[in-house]
């Protein structure tokens, strides 16, 4: 029996998890040294207490990571990975819960992932998806995204009533309608080779990908309808909601608001009262204001140097004069809200191979799983006119753009193979024609 730890991606993820624990311990040591320095050269007693608290938290988190790494190794060395349809949701008082479909297709495993919100958000099925599992659902085990990386400890949810409520929410999310994914290969796959290339890419035809897209759409994987965005062809780009977010203007606005509020509170002596009032000292208040100002400066720098140039390239592609019509299959990512727009020749049959792949940001409206789109762009490659990288392309569907999350991967390229890695893992070789 192949062990989950035999998969190179899993072994690498476990090593990275241990390195993260070492980084937290090192960070705790640095904070402890900083606290000693502040105590020695200033009279900021309150600031020192906060630094010491941060150092202690960092050390405890680092030690916890090492303990979890030992548990991960024990569990992953005892059994193989198995792939399951999954749905996740937040509970009002008890944190996150994830429901997996048991191998028999009828049972449900209700688990509680133990992870920070930021780490879990990267693989959280929204609202449904696929997760890999290793362990005993009655005692706990390890969850991972398809591929075996980014490991998460999970324990069973206690209480029959809580489990029944979780299962009911999973059924409402469409878990029962999800097709059962392919199981991980018994043999470990070379970590450098994309699964789409290893698992016989000839099987990824229009018929298979369209059926996969329609199966997931029928199970409730459609996008949530949001307020329609402004047309980028008729208004400046900063009036388009998605482009503002890509440019980083949302973060700039948040940083500016926090800095303004902090400055106002300081000006009104709310968090910087007179010394005789017994409030925070000048050093602590100054540090808080400087942190807000530093966040604002960083957000503006990131928007100007990275975000705005990317948006200009996207606008240039979206307004390119000559569209190219293609058939598509909108294939969801196994985890998260992203999707892949797999395009095919406009006139062809069910056995056509993909012509290219375009990763998409979450659409602002429901999109049909199959149909035709207009592709515009090819004026820039990786942001540089005349470059040798992947093309920047924007797809138009129903007179509205589907904004890309990355460059367009042409068939046969490394980019396309890596983008199709997730669907290839989920669809599996047993369905090849």
């Amino acid at each position: 029996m192949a062990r989950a730890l035999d998969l190179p991606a899993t072994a690498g993820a476990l090593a990275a998890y241990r390195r993260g624990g070492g980084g937290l311990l090192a960070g705790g040591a640095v904070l402890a040294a900083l606290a000693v320095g502040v105590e020695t050269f200033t009279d900021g007693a309150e600031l020192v207490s906060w630094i010491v608290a941060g150092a202690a938290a960092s050390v405890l988190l680092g030690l916890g990571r090492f303990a979890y790494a030992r548990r991960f190794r024990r569990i992953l060395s005892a059994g193989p990975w198995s792939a399951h349809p999954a749905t996740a949701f937040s509970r009002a008082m008890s944190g996150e819960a994830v429901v997996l479909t048991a191998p028999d297709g009828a049972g449900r495993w209700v688990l509680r992932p133990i992870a920070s919100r930021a780490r879990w958000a990267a693989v959280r099925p929204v609202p449904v998806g696929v997760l890999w599992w290793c362990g005993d659902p009655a005692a706990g085990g390890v969850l991972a995204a398809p591929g075996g990386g980014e490991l998460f400890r999970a324990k069973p949810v206690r209480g029959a009533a809580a489990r029944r409520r979780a299962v009911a929410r999973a059924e409402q999310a469409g878990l029962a309608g999800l097709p059962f994914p392919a199981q991980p290969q018994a043999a470990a796959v070379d970590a450098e080779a994309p699964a789409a290339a290893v698992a016989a890419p000839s099987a990824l035809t229009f018929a298979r990908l369209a059926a996969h897209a329609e199966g997931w759409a029928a199970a409730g994987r459609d996008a949530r309808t949001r307020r329609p965005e402004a047309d980028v062809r008729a208004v400046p780009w900063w009036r388009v909601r998605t482009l503002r977010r890509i440019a980083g203007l949302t973060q700039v606005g948040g940083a500016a608001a926090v800095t303004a509020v902090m400055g106002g509170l300081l000006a009104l002596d709310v968090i910087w009262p007179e010394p005789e009032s017994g409030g925070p000292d000048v050093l602590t208040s100054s540090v808080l204001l400087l942190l807000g100002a530093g966040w604002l400066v960083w957000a503006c720098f990131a928007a100007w140097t990275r975000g705005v140039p990317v948006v200009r390239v996207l606008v240039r592609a979206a307004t390119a004069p000559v569209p190219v019509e293609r058939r598509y299959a909108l294939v969801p990512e196994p985890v998260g809200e992203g999707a892949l727009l797999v395009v095919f020749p406009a006139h062809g049959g069910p056995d056509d191979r993909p012509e290219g792949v375009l990763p998409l940001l979450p659409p602002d409206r429901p999109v049909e799983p199959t149909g035709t789109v207009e592709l515009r762009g090819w004026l820039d490659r990786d942001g540089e006119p005349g470059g040798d990288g992947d093309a920047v392309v924007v797809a138009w569907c129903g007179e509205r753009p589907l904004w890309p999350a990355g460059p367009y991967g042409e068939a046969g390229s490394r980019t396309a193979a890596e983008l199709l890695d997730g669907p290839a893992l989920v669809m599996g070789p047993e369905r090849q024609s």
Side-chain angles (χ1 to χ4, degrees):
M1 178 183 64
R3 305 180 309 163
L5 196 58
D6 293 336
L7 195 68
T10 301
L14 181 58
Y17 192 85
R18 288 181 57 85
R19 288 195 300 271
L24 287 170
L25 291 178
V30 170
L31 288 175
L34 178 62
V36 172
V38 172
E39 176 69 21
T40 302
F41 297 106
T42 72
D43 58 354
E46 183 173 344
L47 180 59
V48 169
S49 65
W50 282 104
I51 296 176
V52 170
S58 183
V59 170
L60 290 175
L61 289 173
L63 294 175
R65 276 214 166 195
F66 279 109
Y68 269 0
R70 287 195 295 271
R71 294 177 185 173
F72 286 162
R73 178 172 293 278
R74 183 175 66 252
I75 294 170
L76 297 172
S77 299
W81 284 117
S82 58
H84 303 263
T87 184
F89 48 84
S90 298
R91 298 178 293 169
M93 302 297 293
S94 306
E96 289 282 326
V98 59
V99 181
L100 306 181
T101 299
D104 61 7
R108 300 290 183 265
W109 297 344
V110 185
L111 305 167
R112 176 172 60 90
I114 303 172
S116 66
R117 185 178 296 272
R119 286 188 68 239
W120 176 243
V123 303
R124 187 178 189 268
V126 183
V128 291
V130 173
L131 289 175
W132 282 13
W133 166 259
C134 180
D136 181 359
V142 181
L143 288 169
E150 197 67 27
L151 308 174
F152 299 87
R153 182 88 166 95
K155 294 182 178 180
V157 170
R158 302 301 180 187
R163 290 194 295 270
R164 284 195 299 269
R165 288 193 298 269
V167 170
R169 291 188 62 175
E171 300 307 315
Q172 292 176 357
L175 183 64
L178 292 180
F180 214 85
Q183 296 306 300
Q185 296 296 309
V189 177
D190 182 2
E192 299 298 323
V198 175
S202 61
L204 300 179
T205 62
F206 177 77
R208 289 193 62 225
L209 288 167
H212 181 66
E214 290 170 355
W216 281 87
R221 190 67 185 270
D222 291 340
R224 298 185 299 271
T225 302
R226 302 176 177 89
R227 179 172 56 85
E229 291 186 326
D231 191 338
V232 70
R233 298 170 296 186
V235 300
W237 66 262
W238 55 84
R239 292 183 57 187
V240 181
R241 181 174 59 248
T242 300
L243 295 182
R244 288 198 302 269
R245 186 168 63 251
I246 294 174
L249 298 188
T250 303
Q251 188 172 39
V252 170
V258 169
T259 305
V261 170
M262 189 68 65
L265 293 175
L266 288 172
L268 296 173
D269 287 345
V270 175
I271 62 173
W272 192 349
E274 296 299 326
E276 57 269 17
S277 66
D281 56 24
V282 173
L283 178 60
T284 302
S285 302
S286 300
V287 168
L288 293 175
L289 180 60
L290 288 175
L291 287 175
W295 180 25
L296 176 59
V297 171
W298 178 85
C300 291
F301 176 79
W304 182 255
T305 58
R306 297 197 296 269
V308 173
V310 169
V311 167
R312 288 174 176 165
V313 171
L314 290 176
V315 172
R316 175 178 163 90
T319 56
V322 182
V324 177
E325 184 175 312
R326 289 292 184 268
R327 291 180 298 160
Y328 74 86
L330 187 64
V331 180
E333 296 278 13
V335 293
E337 294 184 280
L340 299 176
L341 190 78
V342 187
V343 299
F344 299 84
H347 305 287
D351 295 327
D352 286 347
R353 311 282 179 78
E355 191 176 89
V357 190
L358 185 66
L360 299 180
L361 295 171
D364 63 346
R365 63 196 186 282
V367 179
E368 291 296 324
T370 59
T372 59
V373 293
E374 289 185 348
L375 303 180
R376 295 175 182 266
W378 286 283
L379 302 176
D380 302 272
R381 290 185 175 270
D382 281 349
E384 298 182 1
D388 296 329
D390 296 308
V392 178
V393 175
V394 174
W396 287 80
C397 183
E399 293 300 313
R400 308 295 295 178
L402 299 174
W403 295 109
Y408 177 81
E410 298 179 352
S413 68
R414 180 78 181 185
T415 299
E418 290 175 349
L419 289 172
L420 289 172
D421 191 26
L425 284 170
V426 172
M427 295 169 69
E430 74 273 6
R431 295 185 181 181
Q432 294 178 9
S433 58

